[in-house]
Amino acid sequence: MQNSTSVFKLSIIGFGAVGQGVAKVVQNVPQLKVVAIADSKGVALMPDLEDVLARKRAGQPIANSDLTALDVIRTVEHDVVVEVTPTNIDDGEPGLTHVREALKNKRNVVTSNKGPLVAAFSELTHLARTQGVALRYEATVGGAMPIINLIRDTLAGARVLGIRGVLNGTCNYILTRMAEEALDYDQVLSEAQDMGIAEADPTYDVTGIDTACKVVILANAFFDRNATFADVNVTGIDRITQDALQLARQRGFVVKLIGDVQELTVSPKLIPLRHPLNVSGTLNAASILTDTAGEITVAGKGAGSIETASAILSDVLSIMRSRD
Amino acid sequence: MRISMDLELQDTPGQLIYVLTPVSDLGGNVMSVVHHHDKKTFRNTVPVSVIFDVEEHKLEELQKRLEKNGVTVVRIGKMRLRARTHILLIGHIIHTDLRHTIDEIDGTGFAEVQDLSLSMPAIDGPSSAVVTIMATGNEELKKAVEILKDIAQRKDLLVIVPIDESGISGGLSNAE
Ligand SMILES: NC(=O)c1ccc[n+]([C@@H]2O[C@H](COP(=O)([O-])OP(=O)(O)OC[C@H]3O[C@@H](n4cnc5c(N)ncnc54)[C@H](OP(=O)(O)O)[C@@H]3O)[C@@H](O)[C@H]2O)c1
């Protein structure tokens, strides 16, 4: 109880869309104090958040010290490392080293970065347990859409029999636009790239890799599968044509890229128009089948700076509360 | 209406014609014929199972004609196709492959391709098709879908099935 009013200190490792979103949303919580922010070029110690955000927006360097991100994680005294560097599915780096070092130094970790969890899920969760700290990753799946904490906390006690969903907003946007506007795949893809919904290299999203990473994380978190990316059977959306979507429509279906956690598959599926997983645009949705609560479906914004930061904030706050 | 009939034929060559002729004379369409040579009866006849489509009101007439031809009708079953699913195919779909696939599914006796729509927007581009399959039950429907998937995957077609076919709540959707 004695700590309940004291400050809770965090570092933000990675200062892109999500890191900046975190810097914005933590300002709403007076108990939270950001002790360091790192981007790929350097570290701002004891940053003034508005000032650092303005610098980053203006393309100026944020660093005000000689420390590296790893130095911060190892030596600066704080409670939570918010790890939001780019996802790397080959070896999880640099995130994996950041997370591992944070846990070794008995710091809690909150991340939106799928890389470390896909590369070393059991190592990291085991390490967190033995170190007596938390590793939370709500934002890695579904952005602002609650799923991991929903299952872990709200549905505690129910046995999860299956999880499947629309877990990639870029794919969902492309398929929705193609079907609704009768546009070709290439056309919608470039439109999505212009709008910043798809990356310049869209491979990671459209071939189903991103969805597969989320499937791996959920499979490890809730089915003890010790799965890796290689265990997932993946088919993307890049071969889907506009007229195929029209044919499906005539039979009362839309096509969605569905990740099925129990099956460890990612593939396009026909979804009846009135099905709860028929969410449009960049939305994500997931259905959770449980033994006692039946089937529960959630939907929400799967990406976005502030949206993803909101999921990170909820993880940070639940760690802070559990310490009280 | 789809009919399955168990018959007994004399165990001499050429007997099948006494079955096939009346069926086609009445506008019927034979899907499958299986001889059970291993179950020869003491009357020296061979049990044969035939599956065919024929209009229901012609069934009585068919039975008369079969018996006039010396064919023993042991059992007549009316098969109802209860389970239905749609499958989307994308790729370089060639008509002959589809024909072959349909024949194979229709030939199972427990499933049939009820409908097929093909869309070929450009000569050199990929085409797509929706195949509607009906079967006597969910297990049979799954088998028919496997046949289609098998062929489609060999032809490098993308196969998109409805979510419930492999979904968490399981089971294919039944026809209304
Ligand atoms: N964007 C979303 O909506 C969303 C949603 C869910 C999950 N995620 C995940 O969240 C993570 C962050 O996403 P994002 O969109 O914010 O990515 P981003 O905009 O590319 O930002 C990545 C940040 O990490 C920094 N960085 C790279 N290497 C670093 C290193 N070795 N040490 C310290 N910082 C380093 C980059 O520095 P520079 O600024 O110097 O380049 C940049 O600031 C990714 O793993 C992503 O998959 C994102």
Side-chain angles (χ1 to χ4, degrees):
Chain A
M1 275 304 153
Q2 132 214 20
N3 282 330
S4 60
T5 51
S6 68
V7 292
F8 199 59
K9 295 179 188 157
L10 45 142
S11 64
I12 301 173
I13 309 299
F15 203 45
V18 177
Q20 291 169 52
V22 173
K24 286 176 202 152
V25 298
V26 295
Q27 298 181 58
N28 302 331
V29 186
Q31 274 166 287
L32 296 179
K33 168 113 190 103
V34 177
V35 296
I37 296 178
D39 65 10
S40 69
K41 293 167 203 81
V43 168
L45 271 183
M46 293 300 164
D48 175 302
L49 293 178
E50 285 304 336
D51 176 56
V52 182
L53 281 167
R55 283 171 164 282
K56 192 70 189 174
R57 265 198 305 273
Q60 291 164 6
I62 61 162
N64 62 7
S65 74
D66 296 335
L67 297 185
T68 65
L70 268 178
D71 294 334
V72 170
I73 292 168
R74 288 183 178 133
T75 63
V76 175
E77 195 251 301
H78 61 296
D79 303 291
V80 185
V81 174
V82 174
E83 214 295 335
V84 285
T85 63
T87 289
N88 169 350
I89 55 149
D90 296 328
D91 61 4
E93 296 298 354
L96 179 55
T97 300
H98 292 160
V99 173
R100 195 186 272 137
E101 285 303 305
L103 297 173
K104 279 187 183 159
N105 287 282
K106 291 196 190 301
R107 295 195 212 293
N108 302 292
V109 173
V110 174
T111 187
S112 62
N113 182 351
K114 291 167 281 290
L117 294 166
V118 171
F121 189 91
S122 47
E123 179 212 318
L124 296 177
T125 47
H126 180 77
L127 183 59
R129 221 172 300 128
T130 55
Q131 294 290 81
V133 290
L135 167 61
R136 302 189 66 126
Y137 44 88
E138 175 67 58
T140 57
V141 183
M145 174 186 83
I147 176 160
I148 292 169
N149 297 338
L150 174 74
I151 295 174
R152 189 157 286 160
D153 305 333
T154 315
L155 295 175
R159 206 159 70 84
V160 177
L161 306 174
I163 307 169
R164 61 183 189 189
V166 175
L167 303 175
N168 182 280
T170 306
C171 290
N172 204 35
Y173 177 82
I174 293 172
L175 292 175
T176 306
R177 287 284 290 172
M178 284 173 71
E180 286 178 359
E181 309 298 325
L183 297 170
D184 285 332
Y185 175 83
D186 291 326
Q187 214 172 332
V188 177
L189 177 59
S190 16
E191 176 192 285
Q193 285 167 325
D194 281 349
M195 295 171 68
I197 291 172
E199 305 279 327
D201 176 4
T203 316
Y204 179 72
D205 291 315
V206 299
T207 62
I209 297 170
D210 175 70
T211 305
C213 289
K214 292 163 178 167
V215 163
V216 167
I217 291 171
L218 293 173
N220 290 335
F222 298 112
F223 297 106
D224 251 337
R225 289 293 277 274
N226 206 3
T228 66
F229 181 71
D231 299 320
V232 187
N233 195 326
V234 190
T235 308
I237 65 160
D238 44 343
R239 285 179 69 190
I240 293 178
T241 58
Q242 191 248 111
D243 52 302
L245 297 181
Q246 305 306 329
L247 280 180
R249 191 78 174 207
Q250 287 159 17
R251 295 292 186 289
F253 293 101
V254 291
V255 176
K256 302 276 170 203
L257 186 67
I258 299 293
D260 190 312
V261 178
Q262 183 77 335
E263 279 184 354
L264 290 178
T265 60
V266 174
S267 61
K269 291 266 164 74
L270 293 171
I271 311 287
L273 286 171
R274 279 193 298 268
H275 195 278
L277 290 180
N278 180 15
V279 291
S280 62
T282 56
L283 283 179
N284 284 19
S287 288
I288 304 143
L289 184 69
T290 69
D291 58 347
T292 49
E295 192 163 334
I296 288 168
T297 302
V298 285
K301 294 235 167 81
S305 165
I306 292 289
E307 291 83 352
T308 308
S310 83
I312 289 175
L313 181 64
S314 93
D315 276 345
V316 169
L317 291 179
S318 62
I319 295 171
M320 183 175 90
R321 288 186 192 127
S322 69
R323 148 199 94 138
D324 296 340
Chain B
M1 148 130 311
R2 183 155 293 188
I3 304 298
S4 75
M5 249 186 208
D6 293 342
L7 308 167
E8 282 182 16
L9 297 183
Q10 294 303 316
D11 191 18
T12 49
Q15 294 294 307
L16 201 56
I17 193 83
Y18 296 118
V19 178
L20 301 184
T21 309
V23 172
S24 71
D25 285 351
L26 289 168
N29 185 18
V30 176
M31 326 291 329
S32 108
V33 179
V34 181
H35 283 85
H36 302 286
H37 283 292
D38 52 328
K39 294 184 192 146
K40 215 154 121 179
T41 69
F42 65 90
R43 291 183 295 275
N44 202 32
T45 60
V46 180
V48 177
S49 310
V50 192
I51 294 170
F52 56 90
D53 284 331
V54 76
E55 288 171 275
E56 197 166 5
H57 66 272
K58 293 193 177 153
L59 203 52
E60 209 174 310
E61 174 63 22
L62 175 63
Q63 199 175 345
K64 270 189 212 150
R65 291 193 193 182
L66 287 172
E67 276 162 4
K68 215 168 92 200
N69 281 352
V71 177
T72 310
V73 178
V74 181
R75 190 192 66 90
I76 300 178
K78 295 177 182 175
M79 292 166 66
R80 299 205 187 275
L81 299 174
R82 293 197 170 85
R84 184 179 67 180
T85 194
H86 305 278
I87 292 168
L88 183 60
L89 303 173
I90 303 173
H92 291 280
I93 301 168
I94 298 164
H95 239 116
T96 50
D97 295 343
L98 275 184
R99 191 67 254 165
H100 174 72
T101 310
I102 294 169
D103 288 348
E104 202 164 318
I105 289 171
D106 285 350
T108 61
F110 54 72
E112 70 176 35
V113 173
Q114 195 198 33
D115 188 47
L116 183 140
S117 316
L118 190 64
S119 169
M120 301 179 111
I123 297 170
D124 50 349
S127 34
S128 46
V130 173
V131 183
T132 304
I133 301 177
M134 293 201 73
T136 49
N138 287 339
E139 279 313 306
E140 289 78 8
L141 189 55
K142 268 184 199 154
K143 279 186 209 152
V145 169
E146 283 313 311
I147 293 173
L148 181 64
K149 273 191 183 168
D150 225 49
I151 297 170
Q153 264 148 19
R154 248 182 289 139
K155 310 281 180 196
D156 192 33
L157 302 179
L158 177 61
V159 183
I160 304 182
V161 297
I163 187 159
D164 282 326
E165 202 240 319
S166 53
I168 51 178
S169 24
L172 290 146
S173 58
N174 284 351
E176 301 79 353

